[in-house]
Amino acid sequence: MAGFRSPHVLRIAALAPILALASGCGTASVDAGDLEEQISSELARQVGEAPEVVECPDDLDAEVGAEARCSLTDSGTTLGVTVTVTEVDGSDVKFDIAVDEQPEE
């Protein structure tokens, strides 16, 4: 679990296409399930292992500066994860992920 407590920010690009909301006037977004997979995959690449569980309760709006709050659980400890969109280019969304230093209470 110590590998997930990192003071640096990890930059990753979403592999899933942006999903347009059905309302027609809504904001395009990255599906929460796809976001969870991207976070897990990138953490596995960066620290050598994936967390047991990554949960994102909401989709991530495909707008620069948009944020989503997720969590990861590993070895019985839960840490918060902040995801921030840094770039949107067509159907690609690049974002930073930052894992909290301290466990959630």
Side-chain angles (χ1 to χ4, degrees):
M1 184 66 183
F4 297 114
R5 295 183 190 148
S6 172
H8 62 280
V9 175
L10 305 173
R11 179 166 287 167
I12 62 177
L15 299 177
I18 295 172
L19 302 174
L21 297 179
S23 66
C25 62
T27 303
S29 63
V30 176
D31 178 74
D34 292 335
L35 188 59
E36 293 166 353
E37 290 177 23
Q38 291 299 315
I39 292 168
S40 184
S41 294
E42 184 59 20
L43 288 172
R45 190 177 74 77
Q46 292 285 329
V47 299
E49 65 178 285
E52 293 168 1
V53 178
V54 175
E55 294 179 316
C56 297
D58 300 308
D59 294 348
L60 175 64
D61 289 341
E63 296 178 350
V64 173
E67 288 188 352
R69 191 73 174 142
C70 302
S71 63
L72 68 81
T73 303
D74 197 78
S75 301
T77 301
T78 300
L79 296 168
V81 179
T82 301
V83 182
T84 307
V85 175
T86 59
E87 183 181 338
V88 178
D89 182 16
S91 64
D92 293 327
V93 177
K94 293 183 180 178
F95 50 87
D96 291 339
I97 61 172
V99 178
D100 292 354
E101 290 291 322
Q102 298 298 318
E104 293 182 344
E105 294 183 18

